Amino acid sequence: VTAISQQQDKFEEKTSKLEEEISKLEKELALKKEALIPEEKLKEVFGEETTLIFPDIENIDCENLERQIIAFFSYLDKRDYIILQNLEHETYAWFKQVVKRLSENLPIVTDETTDIIRLTHNMAHFYRVLGKKRINLIKQILNNENDIFESIMPTFYSFYKSNKCCKEELQGCPSLAVLYEYAGFFLNTVAGRNYLLRRDSKIRILITYYCILILDKANEEILNHEGIDIRPYIDLSINDISNQKNLIYSKQYLTTLRSLKEKYKM
C-alpha cells in the first residue's frame, strides 16, 4: 500500500509539473500572438467591428473588400509621414496611378540575361516606370506599415483576382494578365529576385507566396504563356514560411501550398 501511495504521489507531482509547463507555454503563445497581431493598429485602420479577410477565406463579398481597401488608404492619408509629402492627390488615387503605370509598362519575364541591356533595363524597371519620388514613398509605406501588411495583403489579393476588381471600372485596376507578368518577374528573373532579396524577409516571403497564387490562377486560366514552372517555387515557399517565425497566418499558407503540391503532383 505504501509503495502504491508513493507512486501515486510521484504521478501527481509529475502531472502538476506538466500542467505548470502547459500553462506557461499557453501564456507564451498568447503573448506571441499578441505581439504578432497589432490589434489596436488594425482597429485604427479598419474600425472596431471589421471582420478581417484571411488567406483561407475565398468568398468575400466585394463591398467588404472595397470598404477595407478604402479604409486602409484613408488611414494612410492621416499619417504624418504621408502628410509631409504634400501629395497632389489622396493616397488611393495616387496608388491607382502607380498601378496604371506598372500595368502599361511591363517588365521582362524571360530571357533577360541574353543581353546586358535587357538585364540592366529589367534591374531598373521600377525606377524607370515610377521614378525616384514614388519609389521613396512606397518604401516609406512599407517601412512604417510593416506590422499590418500581412493582414492587409489578403484583401488586395482577393480584390485584384476578382473580375475587374469586383467589376468596378477602376483606373489602373490590374488584369490577371498583368499580375501574371509581375509574378513571373519576381519569381523567374534575376532582377525580380534581386529586388526581393533587398526587402525585409517577411515582405519577401509574402510577395513570393502571393506570386505563387497568381501563377496558379494563371495556369487555371491558361495564361501562363511563358511556361513558368510553378513547382520549384512552391517548395521554396514552404521552406521559407516554415523557417519564418513572425508570420501570423503561416499555418494557412502552408496548408494552401501543400494542397498545391498535390495539385501539381509533386
Side-chain angles (χ1 to χ4, degrees), residues 125-184:
H125 176 73
F126 290 111
Y127 273 96
R128 286 189 302 100
V129 175
L130 299 178
K132 185 177 180 179
K133 187 175 180 180
R134 292 187 183 89
I135 290 291
N136 287 339
L137 181 54
I138 291 169
K139 285 181 178 179
Q140 285 190 54
I141 294 171
L142 286 173
N143 290 334
N144 283 279
E145 314 305 337
N146 182 274
D147 54 343
I148 60 173
F149 260 112
E150 188 180 357
S151 297
I152 292 168
M153 288 178 80
T155 299
F156 280 88
Y157 171 72
S158 299
F159 191 59
Y160 286 140
K161 81 168 186 176
S162 65
N163 182 26
K164 292 185 179 179
C165 297
C166 287
K167 298 181 179 178
E168 291 291 333
E169 296 299 325
L170 295 175
Q171 181 188 21
C173 175
S175 65
L176 178 59
V178 168
L179 294 174
Y180 164 78
E181 296 292 335
Y182 280 96

Side-chain angles (χ1 to χ4, degrees), residues 37-83:
I37 304 177
E39 292 183 358
E40 289 303 315
K41 189 168 181 179
L42 288 173
K43 286 178 182 177
E44 182 184 352
V45 178
F46 296 116
E48 290 283 342
E49 299 180 1
T50 296
T51 301
L52 288 175
I53 295 163
F54 296 100
D56 58 343
I57 298 175
E58 288 291 327
N59 299 315
I60 302 295
D61 67 274
C62 286
E63 184 179 344
N64 192 30
L65 283 168
E66 189 167 15
R67 182 174 56 79
Q68 290 197 21
I69 287 175
I70 291 171
F72 171 64
F73 286 108
S74 295
Y75 157 80
L76 286 184
D77 288 333
K78 300 170 188 173
R79 300 281 278 161
D80 288 343
Y81 71 92
I82 295 291
I83 294 171

Side-chain angles (χ1 to χ4, degrees), residues 13-235:
E13 184 179 350
K14 287 182 179 179
T15 302
S16 178
K17 286 182 178 179
L18 279 172
E19 288 175 348
E20 286 179 10
E21 289 179 8
I22 290 170
S23 176
K24 183 180 178 181
L25 284 170
E26 286 176 342
K27 288 178 181 178
E28 287 178 357
L29 285 171
L31 288 171
K32 183 179 179 183
K33 182 179 179 183
E34 185 178 340
L36 284 175
I37 304 177
E39 292 183 358
E40 289 303 315
K41 189 168 181 179
L42 288 173
K43 286 178 182 177
E44 182 184 352
V45 178
F46 296 116
E48 290 283 342
E49 299 180 1
T50 296
T51 301
L52 288 175
I53 295 163
F54 296 100
D56 58 343
I57 298 175
E58 288 291 327
N59 299 315
I60 302 295
D61 67 274
C62 286
E63 184 179 344
N64 192 30
L65 283 168
E66 189 167 15
R67 182 174 56 79
Q68 290 197 21
I69 287 175
I70 291 171
F72 171 64
F73 286 108
S74 295
Y75 157 80
L76 286 184
D77 288 333
K78 300 170 188 173
R79 300 281 278 161
D80 288 343
Y81 71 92
I82 295 291
I83 294 171
L84 288 172
Q85 298 296 317
N86 293 316
L87 299 175
E88 293 181 10
H89 307 285
E90 293 179 336
T91 51
Y92 194 13
W94 174 87
F95 176 77
K96 286 187 283 187
Q97 288 177 0
V98 166
V99 172
K100 187 173 186 292
R101 280 175 172 264
L102 292 174
S103 299
E104 293 173 349
N105 300 274
L106 300 175
I108 298 167
V109 177
T110 57
D111 300 325
E112 65 171 345
T113 56
T114 57
D115 186 320
I116 188 64
I117 295 175
R118 287 168 66 86
L119 178 58
T120 304
H121 197 75
N122 231 24
M123 293 289 283
H125 176 73
F126 290 111
Y127 273 96
R128 286 189 302 100
V129 175
L130 299 178
K132 185 177 180 179
K133 187 175 180 180
R134 292 187 183 89
I135 290 291
N136 287 339
L137 181 54
I138 291 169
K139 285 181 178 179
Q140 285 190 54
I141 294 171
L142 286 173
N143 290 334
N144 283 279
E145 314 305 337
N146 182 274
D147 54 343
I148 60 173
F149 260 112
E150 188 180 357
S151 297
I152 292 168
M153 288 178 80
T155 299
F156 280 88
Y157 171 72
S158 299
F159 191 59
Y160 286 140
K161 81 168 186 176
S162 65
N163 182 26
K164 292 185 179 179
C165 297
C166 287
K167 298 181 179 178
E168 291 291 333
E169 296 299 325
L170 295 175
Q171 181 188 21
C173 175
S175 65
L176 178 59
V178 168
L179 294 174
Y180 164 78
E181 296 292 335
Y182 280 96
F185 171 75
F186 287 124
L187 295 176
N188 199 52
T189 70
V190 173
R193 291 195 297 270
N194 183 60
Y195 175 84
L196 290 183
L197 285 172
R198 298 199 304 271
R199 303 280 74 78
D200 171 85
S201 63
K202 182 177 177 181
I203 292 293
R204 173 179 57 80
I205 288 169
L206 288 171
I207 290 175
T208 300
Y209 172 76
Y210 284 104
C211 284
I212 290 169
L213 297 190
I214 290 166
L215 184 53
D216 174 55
K217 184 72 173 173
N219 282 335
E220 290 181 352
E221 300 292 329
I222 318 179
L223 288 173
N224 186 3
H225 57 88
E226 301 291 356
I228 300 169
D229 187 354
I230 195 174
R231 293 172 295 180
Y233 304 115
I234 293 172
D235 275 337

